[in-house]
Amino acid sequence: IKVIITFTAGSSTDIVGRVVTQRLSEVWGQPVVVENKPGAGGVIGSQVVAKSPADGYTLVFGSIASHGILPAIQNPPPYDPLKDFAPVSLVAMTPNVLLANVASPAKSLSDLIQMARSKPGELNFGSTSLGGSPHMSGELLKSMAKIDVLHIPYKGSSGARTDVLGGQVDLMFDAVTTMTEQVKAGKVKAIATSGRQRSDVLPDVPTLSEAGVPNYEATIWLGIMAPKATPKAVVEQLNAAISKIVGQAEVKQQWSKQGATPMVMSVSAFDKYLQDDVQKWATVIRAANIKLD
């Protein structure tokens, strides 16, 4: 069995993925091989699996980027995340965190929203890339809170993080673990997190839903998928094995360092979750007229 991880070795996705594959090898008593195929936010590796034989022997670690956002931005789409893949199992979720420069007068999400409404288009937010999860978290906030905030895309994460710390950028969404140490050191303000529940690594920081934008959720999710025509019995067998692994206490402990929360979900529930996620981001993307050049 080959599992394609669509990000580089050593990345948070890779670390989470290898925990699952190693334990699958132990459960089944046969090798489960990881192949890293990074590029285009997970699209390159996902394309390989979409075209692979539908026998359950080639799987992909999909994500919010590869199966929720990017297919709706690219023209033509590289694949259809619903028609070309069989959802197997949701594996983990990680929230983003909304950050503000320490000099910002805003102490809460309500403060930020009031500032944005009083000065339309004057506040800005940086992101690690056009169409990435941090960018889309900001666009969803703009849409749901009905505010006008200028997006400043960076080519990578380091520039955006440096500028929000230095005050050149007002706001930024970033993966919760990436800036936790800076938050605890008082170098940047954590305004709110983007998940359904508070993050274990920043338990004192409210979610955006709690803080004033009800039902807001923009979670970085990871899940395993197979080619679309993979037999249902094979998919269910894979789901059962992965769910058992993800439910282990040791796995939760290992992933907590990555800010990742293990998720156990049936095949049908993951299918519904994926459909809802694809529709949500397609709506946000159309409203903001976001396109990749």
Side-chain angles (χ1 to χ4, degrees), residues 137-147 213 216 283-284 287-288:
S137 296
E139 294 294 346
L140 183 62
L141 176 60
K142 287 168 59 178
S143 173
M144 294 184 71
K146 296 179 172 54
I147 55 176
V213 185
Y216 179 101
T283 300
V284 172

Side-chain angles (χ1 to χ4, degrees), residues 66-68 71 79-87 225 274 278:
S66 64
H67 286 75
Y79 44 74
D80 187 313
L82 302 177
K83 294 180 180 179
D84 293 336
F85 295 88
M225 299 171 198
L274 182 60
V278 168

Side-chain angles (χ1 to χ4, degrees), residues 122-143:
E122 291 189 27
L123 285 182
N124 57 47
F125 78 100
S127 78
T128 55
S129 63
L130 182 68
S133 172
H135 174 204
M136 299 310 300
S137 296
E139 294 294 346
L140 183 62
L141 176 60
K142 287 168 59 178
S143 173

Side-chain angles (χ1 to χ4, degrees), residues 6-209:
T6 58
F7 292 88
T8 56
S11 65
S12 57
T13 301
D14 181 72
I15 291 169
V16 168
R18 287 178 186 270
V19 170
V20 175
T21 55
Q22 178 184 345
R23 289 173 182 256
L24 278 176
S25 293
E26 295 167 359
V27 168
W28 288 333
Q30 67 179 39
V32 178
V33 180
V34 169
E35 184 175 337
N36 293 92
K37 280 192 173 295
V43 168
I44 292 175
S46 298
Q47 282 178 308
V48 171
V49 175
K51 298 173 182 176
S52 295
D55 54 12
Y57 283 90
T58 305
L59 309 171
V60 64
F61 249 83
S63 69
I64 183 177
S66 64
H67 286 75
I69 296 171
L70 291 174
I73 295 179
Q74 295 187 359
N75 188 21
Y79 44 74
D80 187 313
L82 302 177
K83 294 180 180 179
D84 293 336
F85 295 88
V88 173
S89 178
L90 189 64
V91 170
M93 289 185 173
T94 305
N96 285 315
V97 58
L98 175 58
L99 304 162
N101 179 265
V102 290
S104 172
K107 296 181 180 179
S108 66
L109 182 62
S110 295
D111 290 346
L112 277 179
I113 291 173
Q114 289 177 9
M115 288 170 58
R117 287 176 178 168
S118 66
K119 302 176 181 179
E122 291 189 27
L123 285 182
N124 57 47
F125 78 100
S127 78
T128 55
S129 63
L130 182 68
S133 172
H135 174 204
M136 299 310 300
S137 296
E139 294 294 346
L140 183 62
L141 176 60
K142 287 168 59 178
S143 173
M144 294 184 71
K146 296 179 172 54
I147 55 176
D148 180 10
V149 182
L150 178 65
H151 174 231
I152 303 176
Y154 285 75
K155 292 182 178 179
S157 56
S158 59
R161 291 167 187 154
T162 298
D163 283 356
V164 76
L165 288 168
Q168 289 81 15
V169 171
D170 298 313
L171 307 168
M172 179 185 178
F173 277 93
D174 204 353
V176 69
T177 50
T178 306
M179 298 291 268
T180 296
E181 293 305 315
Q182 286 89 338
V183 170
K184 292 180 177 178
K187 295 180 180 179
V188 66
K189 291 182 185 179
I191 302 296
T193 54
S194 69
R196 294 180 181 177
Q197 302 172 342
R198 294 195 180 196
S199 167
D200 290 341
V201 296
L202 291 173
D204 296 330
V205 179
T207 66
L208 276 96
S209 184

